[in-house]
Amino acid sequence: MKILMIRHFPTPGNIEKRYVGRTDEELAGEDLEIQVRTVRGRLKDHGSVEYVAASPMKRCVQTAALLFAGRAPLLFDELRECDFGLFEGHNYEELKDVPVYREWLASKGELPFPGGESHDAFKDRCVSGFSRAADCLMRKGCARAGMVVHGGTIMAVLSRFDPKQRGFYEWQPENGGGYAVTLDEDEWKQGRIVFTEIEVL
């Protein structure tokens, strides 16, 4: 089974380089139509999808509707973006002199977000959500699916299922970017849970 994992298109907070996690923003941007056409063109190389899975947040549901018109997405709550706690809605310029933010940066993002999620809890949640979505798609006999989620979700999932064990920050996709991942259903069902192929979209 192949799953096209795509990060949602930009929101106002993304454009201003803010931490947008639990905030349920809608899409924005003057060149959104151009981005949609560009990504649709890239996806054509992978053939049509039978099902679409997504985070339930507006930015993902809206992106799914733009890319996969007519396919109501299967929503998985665990695929939501990280809760950035005290950093939510702020950007680097607003936070750079805040001591807890400086401590978090010094930890290379490994410390929990103050008032938000820990790195490990977030990754575990995303992996659980992806596994639940994959199992659901397998039960439906799906060979090719789309999945519209968040940048952090993609990073969490790929860092866990990459056979080369590359780290979380190796997988940062741009808005509208992502990866085509392939998994062997028989191996997956037997507990050998890794992707057999990862391709940049």
Side-chain angles (χ1 to χ4, degrees):
M1 179 170 65
K2 179 181 279 191
I3 300 177
L4 310 179
M5 295 189 75
I6 302 156
R7 184 185 177 196
H8 61 81
F9 290 120
T11 69
N14 293 151
I15 293 167
E16 295 175 359
K17 301 190 182 302
R18 298 183 181 279
Y19 289 92
V20 181
R22 65 176 182 266
T23 306
D24 204 9
E25 290 192 330
E26 299 193 356
L27 300 181
E30 294 179 3
D31 60 348
L32 186 56
E33 288 184 25
I34 296 169
Q35 291 180 53
V36 171
R37 285 199 300 271
T38 301
V39 175
R40 276 182 183 161
R42 292 202 306 258
L43 296 180
K44 278 183 182 176
D45 295 339
H46 296 275
S48 60
V49 303
E50 300 158 76
Y51 293 94
V52 177
S55 156
M57 303 194 85
K58 290 174 186 173
R59 53 198 186 266
C60 293
V61 173
Q62 290 173 345
T63 298
L66 290 169
L67 293 178
F68 305 107
R71 297 209 181 275
L74 306 165
L75 303 180
F76 296 88
D77 198 59
E78 304 99 315
L79 297 176
R80 288 171 178 263
E81 181 58 285
C82 186
D83 181 346
F84 296 120
L86 294 179
F87 305 157
E88 182 76 26
H90 298 286
N91 59 27
Y92 173 79
E93 286 301 319
E94 294 168 350
L95 293 168
K96 64 183 180 182
D97 296 321
V98 177
V100 290
Y101 183 65
R102 294 170 69 88
E103 288 173 20
W104 181 81
L105 286 179
S107 78
K108 298 189 181 342
E110 293 299 324
L111 282 176
F113 290 101
E117 281 185 281
S118 74
H119 197 61
D120 288 341
F122 169 66
K123 289 194 292 187
D124 288 345
R125 170 168 65 76
C126 292
V127 166
S128 174
F130 179 88
S131 297
R132 196 161 72 86
D135 289 343
C136 175
L137 293 167
M138 285 180 206
R139 287 195 300 273
K140 293 178 178 294
C142 180
R144 186 176 290 103
M147 181 178 283
V148 183
V149 288
H150 309 271
T153 309
I154 291 173
M155 294 160 72
V157 170
L158 268 68
S159 63
R160 181 69 59 92
F161 296 134
D162 171 28
K164 296 181 180 177
Q165 299 282 291
R166 284 165 286 189
F168 181 82
Y169 292 103
E170 298 287 321
W171 302 106
Q172 288 180 281
E174 61 186 11
N175 289 106
Y179 299 88
V181 301
T182 305
L183 55 89
D184 183 307
E185 294 181 43
D186 291 333
E187 295 279 311
W188 190 274
K189 289 171 183 174
Q190 292 173 37
R192 292 188 285 275
I193 301 179
V194 294
F195 294 142
T196 56
E197 188 175 348
I198 301 172
E199 179 184 353
V200 176
L201 287 174

